[in-house]
Amino acid sequence: MSVAIYPGSFDPLTNGHFDIVKRFAGHFEKLYLVVANSSKKSYLFSHDERVALAKDVLSSVDGVEVVGWQGLTIDCARKYKATAILRGVRAISDFDYEFSIAHTHTQLAPEIETFLVLASPQHSFVASNLVKEVARNGGDVSSFVPKPILTALNQKFS
Ligand code: ADP
């Protein structure tokens, strides 16, 4: 069975993340969207909120399951018997970071392959950090995020 994980902060999940899930879910028998939590990062939405929001958005996509995770990504992949890790690349600026993570993962877990997948052009500038900044200052982010995320952002900043 081909299983993949798509790990990230998803703080919050954007249309760019959603697009990756919709495009790649069909290429695997099972795709886990892994909402990671790191004590070194500060988030707008709590871990539980990010998991719940991702579940809300992705409930309609066949073959996808949302799970929370704290710890090494490769340990998560092993737990769910995934042989692939998906990561998105929006522009060359993402590449350095993704390149070092991918090679670190390969060194630690050679049996797991990392797939760097390209953002669709219409989402290639969409970033959770920018979405939060615009929403925090009262801007309209409805074209960047799915409806449940928009509602959650409006509640956060109301
Ligand atoms: P992280 O904090 O782990 O980078 P993110 O939630 O920001 O988590 O992103 C998760 C993954 O999705 C990363 O590989 C990131 O490059 C990718 N990604 C982020 N935004 C987009 C987008 N608009 N289109 C495609 N991939 C994206």
Side-chain angles (χ1 to χ4, degrees), residues 13-32:
L13 189 135
T14 67
N15 285 340
H17 299 127
F18 193 17
D19 176 65
I20 295 286
V21 171
K22 284 186 288 187
R23 282 168 50 207
F24 290 93
H27 292 271
F28 298 94
E29 285 164 67
K30 181 102 188 193
L31 176 63
Y32 290 94

Side-chain angles (χ1 to χ4, degrees), residues 54-133:
K55 281 187 176 167
D56 192 359
V57 173
L58 301 177
S59 59
S60 61
V61 189
D62 281 345
V64 175
E65 192 176 327
V66 174
V67 293
W69 185 257
Q70 182 125 20
L72 290 181
T73 303
I74 50 155
D75 288 338
C76 177
R78 284 172 171 156
K79 175 178 175 181
Y80 291 104
K81 307 209 177 326
T83 52
I85 298 173
L86 286 190
R87 291 284 293 177
V89 176
R90 287 163 289 191
I92 200 72
S93 50
D94 280 340
F95 189 76
D96 274 354
Y97 179 62
E98 296 298 342
F99 180 88
S100 27
I101 301 180
H103 282 310
T104 305
H105 286 159
T106 305
Q107 193 75 24
L108 296 172
E111 78 281 11
I112 301 168
E113 205 58 68
T114 296
F115 291 76
L116 296 184
V117 300
L118 295 184
S120 294
Q122 66 272 31
H123 300 301
S124 60
F125 64 93
V126 178
S128 298
N129 282 344
L130 279 178
V131 164
K132 284 183 282 190
E133 206 42 41

